[in-house]
């Protein structure tokens, strides 16, 4: 009788039994079509029945960079500076260049989804960073508008073909051109005869005649394709950028099927537990402390700048080159072999200090860049688009509720990831292994500000935009 009952189980249930997901799945099968059962079965069996191995000194760490989760700060400002140049993989944000420049690279970061694992060593470890889904959707919308605004005044001939442009990096390669075309269309409909009105209320950046309203954006098919539940899809290897051919039919099954969403959400939650580290953006310092302690990267230990020839540059210029080199390095240098020993690239301060300075530079540069970009989006009466905390606080609550509803898989993933981080920190603390990330002294911060205060004058519309700015 036992074997007979087993024979009656649908293939999809057998697949999820192998994944230890049978309990939450069994009651959900009724609403899944035969085709989707087959697609889910094939996907689960082929890609999610093996565990990610624990990291050791001989293994690779892959940082699965989910857009708009402070991944650039995490990857460029911390992980990259913690890894000796000889152990860093080639830059891979536009094209995967695994092992093309460093035969045994140990640190790789990109916007690829989990499907990239098929190209990594079998014992590679995976880390990622999550963000509250509503905040991530808002940030995605705002950044797409920001980059599209710059693209309005950039000529194609101004682009440097030797550098990686943001618009060549997924998902911005699809989102930015879409928003740019919408900006152009709306600009043509604006009445230039409108006079300036000093009494006019500030422009609502999420609902105006210059930019696609947020409420409209979140319902657009492209947002459903690229943005909603994007964290879960990236963790599973199911984005439209996936390296797995089995991903496309599974994505089709997700459309309008709460059952399929629940099945895959369960799989994603289990997937997170296999990662060597999961951080969350609203606990950025705590996340840095946890991954440093987990990987035994001493915060008071060494840090390395970028392995490029900067011997004739000032210290400030070297720091700027290091920051930019994460994804802005000319393509002609992406496959260049390192010619000097790692010791030649050691920085004078400890890792925690290098991280703090890098993160501070990035925040200030991004703030100036945003101000310049949104100054390009003005109504004839002088009012312009300005995103910020005050504007976010004024968003219609029903729109925020709709975003959360559209991102339920990501809501569950984020909650689980945050709990994993809290549990990991408590375990490290109990073992006496949790490190503390110091703050820069006020004096050091002021000195850094004087040295690195960006020039806000002379902005030219043709200023180049590279993926390094914040992905």
């Amino acid at each position: 009788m036992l074997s007979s009952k087993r024979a009656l189980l649908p293939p999809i249930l057998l697949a999820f039994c192998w994944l230890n997901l049978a309990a939450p799945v069994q009651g959900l099968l009724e609403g899944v079509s035969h085709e989707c059962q087959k697609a889910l079965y094939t996907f689960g069996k082929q890609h999610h029945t093996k565990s990610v191995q624990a990291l050791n000194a001989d293994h690779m760490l892959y940082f699965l960079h989910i857009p708009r989760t402070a991944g650039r700060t995490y990857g460029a400002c911390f992980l990259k500076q913690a890894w000796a140049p000889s152990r860093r993989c080639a830059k891979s944000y536009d094209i995967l260049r695994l092992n093309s420049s460093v035969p045994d690279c140990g640190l790789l970061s990109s916007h690829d989804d989990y499907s990239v694992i098929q190209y990594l060593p079998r014992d590679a470890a995976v880390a990622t960073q999550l963000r509250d889904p509503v905040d991530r959707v808002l940030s995605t919308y705002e950044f797409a508008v920001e980059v599209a605004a710059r693209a309005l005044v950039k000529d194609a001939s101004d682009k440097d073909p030797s550098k990686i442009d943001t618009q060549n990096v997924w998902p911005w390669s699809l989102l930015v051109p879409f928003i740019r075309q919408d900006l152009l269309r709306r600009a043509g409909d604006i009445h230039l005869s409108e006079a300036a009105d000093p009494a006019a209320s500030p422009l609502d950046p999420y609902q105006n005649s210059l930019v696609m309203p947020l409420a409209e954006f979140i319902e657009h098919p492209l947002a459903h394709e690229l943005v909603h539940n994007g964290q879960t899809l990236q963790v599973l290897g199911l984005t439209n950028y996936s390296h797995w051919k089995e991903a496309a039919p599974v994505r089709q099954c997700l459309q309008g099927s709460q059952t399929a969403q629940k099945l895959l959400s369960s799989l994603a939650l289990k997937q997170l537990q296999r990662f060597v580290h999961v951080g969350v953006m609203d606990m950025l310092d705590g996340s840095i402390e946890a991954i440093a302690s987990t990987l035994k990267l001493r915060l008071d230990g060494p840090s390395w700048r970028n392995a490029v020839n900067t011997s004739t540059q000032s210290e400030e210029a070297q720091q700027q080159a290091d920051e930019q080199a994460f994804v802005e390095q000319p393509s002609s240098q992406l496959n260049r072999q390192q010619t000097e020993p790692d010791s030649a690239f050691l920085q004078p301060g400890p890792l925690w200090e290098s991280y703090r300075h890098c993160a501070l530079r990035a925040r200030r540069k991004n703030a100036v860049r945003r101000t310049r970009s949104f100054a390009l989006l003005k109504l004839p009466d002088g009012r312009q688009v300005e995103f910020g905390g005050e504007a976010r606080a004024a968003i219609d609550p029903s729109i925020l509720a709709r975003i959360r509803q559209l991102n339920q898989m990501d809501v569950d993933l984020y909650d689980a990831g945050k709990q994993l981080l809290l549990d990991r920190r408590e375990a490290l603390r109990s073992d006496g292994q949790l490190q503390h990330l110091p703050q820069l002294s006020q004096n050091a911060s002021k000195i850094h500000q004087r040295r690195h205060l960006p020039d806000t004058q002379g902005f030219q519309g043709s200023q180049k935009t590279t993926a390094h700015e914040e992905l």
Side-chain angles (χ1 to χ4, degrees):
M1 292 295 293
L2 181 60
S3 61
S4 174
K5 287 183 178 179
R6 284 181 176 173
L8 293 174
L9 287 174
I12 182 61
L13 183 54
L14 290 176
F16 281 91
C17 279
W18 297 336
L19 301 171
N20 298 320
L21 293 175
V25 168
Q26 193 165 7
L28 299 173
L29 290 173
E30 263 186 45
V32 181
S33 69
H34 175 73
E35 291 77 12
C36 283
Q37 285 192 31
K38 183 178 180 181
L40 290 164
Y41 168 82
T42 301
F43 179 76
K45 179 182 177 182
Q46 292 192 9
H47 302 303
H48 289 282
T49 56
K50 297 179 181 179
S51 297
V52 178
Q53 302 298 314
L55 179 73
N56 66 35
D58 297 325
H59 294 183
M60 171 190 283
L61 175 67
Y62 173 61
F63 178 57
L64 193 155
H65 182 174
I66 297 172
R68 310 313 295 170
T69 61
R72 185 225 161 280
T73 301
Y74 221 78
C77 289
F78 182 71
L79 291 176
K80 174 176 172 284
Q81 295 192 106
W83 250 256
S86 63
R87 296 283 291 146
R88 299 172 190 159
C89 304
K91 317 315 186 277
S92 296
Y93 273 81
D94 58 335
I95 299 173
L96 187 63
R97 298 183 177 89
L98 187 62
N99 287 344
S100 61
S101 65
V102 182
D104 57 349
C105 61
L107 174 66
L108 177 69
S109 176
S110 75
H111 277 332
D112 291 273
D113 61 24
Y114 183 74
S115 64
V116 76
I117 200 76
Q118 67 182 329
Y119 300 116
L120 308 185
R122 290 186 60 187
D123 50 9
V126 180
T128 196
Q129 171 94 342
L130 304 176
R131 185 176 186 178
D132 176 86
V134 175
D135 289 340
R136 197 185 82 89
V137 170
L138 295 178
S139 180
T140 299
Y141 169 79
E142 293 163 4
F143 185 68
V145 171
E146 175 189 339
V147 180
R150 287 196 291 275
L152 288 175
V153 293
K154 283 196 332 183
D155 189 275
S157 61
D158 291 329
K159 294 183 179 181
D160 186 343
S162 69
K163 294 185 179 181
I164 299 173
D165 190 285
T166 302
Q167 296 181 66
N168 293 331
V169 179
W170 181 91
W172 314 117
S173 56
L174 301 173
L175 280 172
V176 172
F178 165 71
I179 295 294
R180 180 181 182 276
Q181 287 301 314
D182 185 76
L183 290 175
L184 288 171
R185 180 181 63 81
R186 292 173 186 274
D189 295 337
I190 293 176
H191 297 291
L192 298 180
S193 59
E194 295 180 19
D197 181 5
S201 60
L203 190 69
D204 181 352
Y206 301 100
Q207 177 65 50
N208 59 79
S209 58
L210 288 169
V211 180
M212 174 180 285
L214 174 63
E216 182 180 340
F217 172 79
I218 63 174
E219 302 293 350
H220 195 278
L222 195 62
H224 284 270
E225 179 75 7
L226 296 172
V227 183
H228 298 319
N229 294 312
Q231 299 179 94
T232 303
L233 296 179
Q234 225 171 317
V235 164
L236 288 173
L238 282 175
T239 68
N240 68 350
Y241 195 54
S242 179
H243 298 279
W244 289 332
K245 64 180 181 180
E246 297 85 5
V250 174
R251 286 176 60 81
Q252 290 294 321
C253 293
L254 280 173
Q255 297 180 7
S257 172
Q258 291 187 357
T259 299
Q261 291 177 11
K262 289 179 180 178
L263 291 173
L264 289 168
S265 184
S266 296
L267 183 57
L269 299 183
K270 187 172 182 64
Q271 179 82 322
L272 276 190
Q273 297 173 15
R274 300 189 180 112
F275 286 8
V276 71
H277 169 78
V278 178
V280 294
M281 183 172 170
D282 57 309
M283 291 178 59
L284 186 57
D285 280 7
S287 299
I288 294 293
E289 291 172 346
I291 193 171
S293 303
T294 297
L295 303 185
K296 303 189 185 310
L297 302 170
R298 296 301 309 171
L299 291 174
D300 58 359
S303 65
W304 290 268
R305 60 182 175 84
N306 188 54
V308 294
N309 182 15
T310 57
S311 58
T312 61
Q313 294 180 330
S314 66
E315 179 182 354
E316 178 178 348
Q318 287 184 12
Q319 290 174 335
Q320 291 175 348
D322 295 345
E323 182 186 7
Q324 294 175 350
F326 186 47
V327 290
E328 195 182 7
Q329 192 65 21
S331 58
S332 60
Q333 297 181 14
L334 285 170
N335 297 326
R336 179 174 295 177
Q337 295 289 341
Q338 184 175 331
T339 59
E340 298 182 61
D342 288 334
S343 58
F345 306 102
L346 278 170
Q347 301 192 100
L351 176 58
W352 74 264
E353 187 175 38
S354 298
Y355 162 73
R356 290 292 193 197
H357 283 302
C358 178
L360 193 57
R361 285 196 304 273
R363 284 195 297 272
R364 286 174 175 151
K365 290 179 67 175
N366 288 336
V368 171
R369 185 181 289 113
R370 283 193 296 271
T371 299
R372 292 169 172 173
S373 300
F374 294 135
L376 300 169
L377 296 178
K378 285 185 178 181
L379 286 172
D381 63 12
R383 292 180 297 164
Q384 70 177 59
V385 170
E386 292 185 42
F387 293 112
E390 186 176 342
R392 279 197 184 188
I395 296 175
D396 186 336
S398 66
I399 296 177
L400 300 180
R402 176 58 175 161
I403 294 174
R404 186 164 293 274
Q405 179 186 35
L406 290 169
N407 288 270
Q408 188 56 53
M409 295 173 73
D410 273 6
V411 170
D412 295 341
L413 189 80
Y414 170 76
D415 289 343
K418 191 167 188 176
Q419 189 59 53
L420 282 174
L421 175 61
L422 292 171
D423 292 346
R424 173 60 60 86
R425 284 180 55 83
E426 183 55 37
L428 290 166
R429 184 182 292 108
S430 297
D431 292 341
Q433 297 179 5
L434 184 63
Q435 301 179 69
H436 172 66
L437 181 64
Q439 295 286 343
L440 288 173
S441 67
Q442 287 189 344
N443 186 48
S445 182
K446 290 178 180 178
I447 293 174
H448 180 277
Q449 183 174 3
R450 287 197 297 270
R451 288 180 177 176
H452 301 280
L453 187 64
D455 177 16
T456 58
Q457 302 300 319
F459 171 66
Q460 300 296 323
S462 62
Q463 177 176 323
K464 295 179 176 56
T465 305
T466 54
H468 123 80
E469 58 192 287
E470 181 57 68
L471 301 173

